[in-house]
Amino acid sequence: MSPLRVGLLGPGGIGARHIKALAQLPEEGELVACCGRDAERTQAFTTEHGGAVYTDFDAMLTREALDLLIVALPPFAHTGQVEAAARKGVHLLVEKPIALDMVRADTMVEAADAAGIVAACAFMYRFGEAVERWETADTGRPGMFTGFFHCNSLHSPWWRERALSGGQTVEQLIHIVDLARHTLGMPETVYAKAANLFHRDVPRYDTEDVSAMILGYEDGRIGLLNASNAAAPGRWEKGWKIISERMTGSFTDFNAGELTRSASEGGSETVMSERDVFVAQLADVVGAIRDGRKAKVPLSEGADSLRIALAARRSAEEGREVVV
């Protein structure tokens, strides 16, 4: 079969990561067009990676016969592009968080469902070898999920403003939120606390830099998640632990973890891998398009995890437990 004609919306760092993954799958797809607001930056991107240059998304969508669109925009920049591509029958891989509010997120999912296209959310952690090994292990029923995301960076200017990024919970911790939801299911309630303790003097920094949340379930299962943007500089540390009936999983990364049996005979398994989760994710999306099936992480799951993150933010703002 011919390689898929791929377009990219958003020639930034994460967009480059997706296109580098595409380069590892030359028989599956090729970049034919790239659209960005900055013509010079977009030209530099295509000089390195290939494809035609666009600064007008509607023009790219009209002139290029795209099979797949990778949407790597910051969350504030979503203004209907996903819906427009869906109406044209273009398959989608959309970076997280897919929106800043549930109205936009639900509109995206509805448009994709109505078009009958493959639409995926880019939660690449799900494609880690340690994560996938846990999914195939005889773990029994999970009862507790704990996780964290710690860093110390000022990021891009837009990241510091809640109105543009959604805050650290929505833009970063959502990766761990997604794993918790994937493991335990959708919670009934969320209770959260958050504050900006360390960046009050940084211009336009109005998002939280410490936060924690509790995911509550009627049957007693529980999720405990926390994040900070005031930890060790230069480190992007994340980890999580899952306690289930027959196994405990301790993960230092999506590709690294230890699975320990809870039975009296004990025993453990260590998973260490260098799998490129961006390549694995893209291969799944291409396979879904080829095979006429859903992607492993449908866009609807991006909306579900966003719903939890937004509920946590609302809980922290209102100082009360929130029903999801």
Side-chain angles (χ1 to χ4, degrees):
M1 301 179 72
S2 300
L4 298 179
R5 292 175 56 83
V6 179
L8 174 69
L9 178 57
I14 195 65
R17 191 66 190 84
H18 285 293
I19 298 309
K20 288 177 182 177
L22 181 65
Q24 300 299 309
L25 303 167
E27 296 182 358
E28 301 294 355
E30 61 178 344
L31 180 66
V32 298
C34 177
C35 182
R37 292 182 299 176
D38 187 317
E40 184 176 345
R41 183 181 185 185
T42 306
Q43 180 64 68
F45 188 96
T46 58
T47 297
E48 180 178 357
H49 300 287
V53 175
Y54 288 90
T55 56
D56 184 319
F57 176 70
D58 291 333
M60 182 175 80
L61 200 58
T62 299
R63 297 172 189 170
E64 303 288 345
L66 299 178
D67 298 305
L68 171 65
L69 176 68
I70 299 173
V71 181
L73 295 174
F76 70 88
H78 288 278
T79 56
Q81 302 95 330
V82 167
E83 297 91 319
R87 288 192 293 269
K88 291 275 290 186
V90 179
H91 303 290
L92 292 159
L93 173 59
V94 184
E95 260 300 331
K96 62 76 206 165
I98 65 171
L100 289 176
D101 61 74
M102 290 312 303
V103 173
R104 172 64 68 188
D106 289 341
T107 299
M108 290 179 177
V109 173
E110 291 165 4
D113 288 346
I117 59 170
V118 171
C121 180
F123 281 127
M124 76 282 190
Y125 286 25
R126 298 266 209 103
F127 294 87
E129 193 158 331
V131 172
E132 290 189 346
R133 178 67 190 98
W134 174 267
E135 293 175 346
T136 61
D138 181 19
T139 66
R141 184 166 173 262
M144 174 174 278
F145 184 106
T146 64
F148 66 89
F149 193 113
H150 296 166
C151 59
N152 188 336
S153 172
L154 289 180
H155 307 289
S156 300
W158 63 264
W159 190 91
R160 309 172 197 177
E161 298 185 49
R162 176 172 291 190
L164 302 181
S165 69
Q168 188 181 25
T169 298
V170 170
E171 210 282 324
Q172 276 184 342
L173 186 60
I174 195 169
H175 275 298
I176 311 300
V177 169
D178 180 69
L179 289 175
R181 183 188 59 78
H182 182 56
T183 301
L184 298 177
M186 182 67 77
E188 278 75 37
T189 62
V190 177
Y191 178 71
K193 299 286 282 185
N196 177 1
L197 295 180
F198 302 100
H199 295 86
R200 294 172 181 172
D201 295 330
V202 176
R204 300 188 334 193
Y205 194 111
D206 65 1
T207 184
E208 70 277 10
D209 55 20
V210 293
S211 66
M213 73 174 77
I214 300 174
L215 308 180
Y217 297 79
E218 289 184 358
D219 62 0
R221 286 172 296 145
I222 194 166
L224 301 169
L225 313 180
N226 68 81
S228 175
N229 188 37
R235 300 182 186 176
W236 300 82
E237 299 177 336
K238 63 267 188 187
W240 56 95
K241 178 173 283 188
I242 307 170
I243 300 176
S244 292
E245 288 177 311
R246 292 187 287 277
M247 186 170 287
T248 295
S250 299
F251 302 84
T252 56
D253 194 71
F254 39 74
N255 276 331
E258 183 178 37
L259 281 56
T260 304
R261 288 188 289 275
S262 303
S264 57
E265 65 271 15
S268 64
E269 172 188 353
T270 299
V271 181
M272 293 292 292
S273 170
E274 296 184 359
R275 175 186 291 175
D276 188 325
V277 291
F278 284 89
V279 174
Q281 175 178 254
L282 189 56
D284 172 74
V285 173
V286 172
I289 296 170
R290 303 279 199 212
D291 300 338
R293 59 170 174 82
K294 285 188 176 182
K296 180 178 179 178
V297 189
L299 194 61
S300 59
E301 299 208 20
D304 287 342
S305 292
L306 177 64
R307 193 180 308 276
I308 298 172
L310 291 175
R313 194 177 72 179
R314 187 166 73 253
S315 172
E317 292 171 345
E318 299 177 2
R320 65 180 182 88
E321 187 175 40
V322 170
V323 176
V324 179

